[in-house]
Amino acid sequence: MEEPAGAPEGGRGFVPWLKSIAVALPPYLWLVVFFLVPFLIVLRMSFSEAVIAMPPYAPTFDLSEGVSGLWARVQEFTTFNYTFLAEDSLYWRAYLSSLRIAAISTVIALLIGFPIAHAMARAPRRWRPLLLALVIMPFWTSFLIRVYAWIGILKRDGLLNGILQWTGVISEPLTIMNTDLAVFIGIVYAYLPFMILPLYASLERQDPALLEAAADLGSPPWLAFWQVTVRLSLPGIVAGCLLVFIPAVGEFVIPSLLGGSDTLMIGQTLWDEFFSNRDWPLASAVAVILVLVLVVPITLFQRAQARQAD
């Protein structure tokens, strides 16, 4: 008796299904172990109360105390930390300042990175691996060392002021260190490769014949560049902007070393709450809100990618 058409022969349909699970399981396990579980721990901590102990918070939802102990802890569930964040303007100003600095830095990185990526994509093919290596080369050095190098460049008696005075551009040293300008320079420098790489990947796949076709149809060069090159590279633009914007929002090393006393970013506030004030529950609430704020651009990017695929 013949098997119906489309039916798996000898259980052969089970093997591809098992292979698909084996391929998809590792990344999901990675996300669960290294993202979801730590996030749940921080979320649990954010509903606790700060105490003078080690660890410096009263545990909530402690399963080791049994059902009765668990219910007692649930009754101690508090939203005080989130209420405090909503009432204290320091934290909202830190969030807004972080979003502003990250957004401006992302725009600057895009304006600098797009021409670089476009030039790399249009360079002779034999030169492209070398150009990619030059973009990636800063990652061969410690991030902290690269930020410290900018201190020597931007301070009043540093390299930049020395060159500008030697060339006669300025007569007195400029005050760049310990300002928002220094923070912008540090963030753009540190995260510029994250903007260039997805832009290059998007631009490199474009067919130059499309621009020739647009020119043959009477389109001026600037309009053809906008409607063809820029529009086709939108996925790379969005990916690059997210790769720069998301880590820049939570950055604390660059503003701590290059920024001044007026520079306020949520990463610095988070560090101070954890290590200076030792208020882990409040710091956890700050971190949870930061994650929720960053989920919005990630969700928008996923929806844009889905529409692009359709």
Side-chain angles (χ1 to χ4, degrees):
M1 182 177 178
E2 296 183 357
E3 294 183 357
E9 298 180 4
R12 273 184 263 171
F14 178 76
V15 176
W17 177 77
L18 189 60
K19 288 182 178 179
S20 63
I21 292 181
V23 171
L25 192 58
Y28 281 108
L29 286 176
W30 178 276
L31 290 175
V32 169
V33 173
F34 294 103
F35 176 77
L36 183 59
V37 173
F39 176 75
L40 292 177
I41 293 173
V42 173
L43 180 64
R44 167 179 174 258
M45 198 185 304
S46 69
F47 291 109
S48 305
E49 293 182 359
V51 295
I52 303 176
M54 180 56 69
Y57 65 93
T60 308
F61 311 123
D62 193 351
L63 296 175
S64 63
E65 300 180 5
V67 177
S68 59
L70 175 61
W71 175 245
R73 289 299 185 184
V74 170
Q75 290 178 319
E76 295 176 8
F77 178 89
T78 176
T79 58
F80 168 78
N81 299 309
Y82 294 97
T83 305
F84 183 78
L85 291 181
E87 294 175 350
D88 195 327
S89 62
L90 169 67
Y91 299 97
W92 286 111
R93 287 190 290 110
Y95 281 116
L96 294 176
S97 177
S98 298
L99 293 173
R100 176 182 63 86
I101 292 175
I104 295 175
S105 302
T106 302
V107 172
I108 297 173
L110 177 60
L111 295 177
I112 297 175
F114 195 95
I116 296 175
H118 187 269
M120 292 171 57
R122 297 295 176 264
R125 189 167 295 275
R126 66 179 182 276
W127 291 105
R128 294 179 190 177
L130 175 61
L131 296 175
L132 279 175
L134 292 176
V135 172
I136 302 173
M137 191 175 293
F139 293 119
W140 299 355
T141 307
S142 169
F143 177 79
L144 192 60
I145 293 177
R146 287 186 280 135
V147 176
Y148 268 112
W150 277 104
I151 297 178
I153 296 174
L154 298 178
K155 62 183 181 180
R156 287 183 64 84
D157 57 345
L159 180 62
L160 179 60
N161 278 315
I163 294 176
L164 293 177
Q165 286 183 294
W166 178 69
T167 56
V169 177
I170 58 174
S171 57
E172 296 182 358
L174 299 175
T175 302
I176 303 176
M177 271 295 298
N178 305 124
T179 63
D180 285 352
L181 177 60
V183 176
F184 289 134
I185 293 174
I187 291 177
V188 171
Y189 164 77
Y191 296 111
L192 186 60
F194 294 107
M195 178 68 73
I196 294 176
L197 293 176
L199 284 173
Y200 169 77
S202 181
L203 291 167
E204 198 268 341
R205 292 195 299 264
Q206 294 183 14
D207 189 354
L210 296 175
L211 291 175
E212 298 176 4
D216 292 340
L217 293 174
S219 177
W222 67 270
L223 185 59
F225 176 80
W226 176 259
Q227 292 186 337
V228 177
T229 304
V230 174
R231 293 188 65 179
L232 291 179
S233 60
L234 278 179
I237 293 175
V238 174
C241 288
L242 286 177
L243 289 175
V244 174
F245 178 79
I246 291 175
V249 171
E251 182 60 53
F252 78 94
V253 173
I254 293 174
S256 296
L257 296 180
L258 302 183
S261 58
D262 296 334
T263 304
L264 184 63
M265 293 192 71
I266 199 62
Q268 295 172 287
T269 305
L270 188 63
W271 175 274
D272 290 339
E273 292 296 342
F274 260 116
F275 297 100
S276 298
N277 301 335
R278 292 186 61 78
D279 193 340
W280 289 15
L282 183 61
S284 299
V286 173
V288 169
I289 294 179
L290 179 60
V291 171
L292 295 179
V293 168
L294 295 180
V295 163
V296 175
I298 295 175
T299 303
L300 294 177
F301 172 69
Q302 290 178 337
R303 291 184 177 181
Q305 290 289 87
R307 287 197 297 268
Q308 188 78 12
D310 294 340

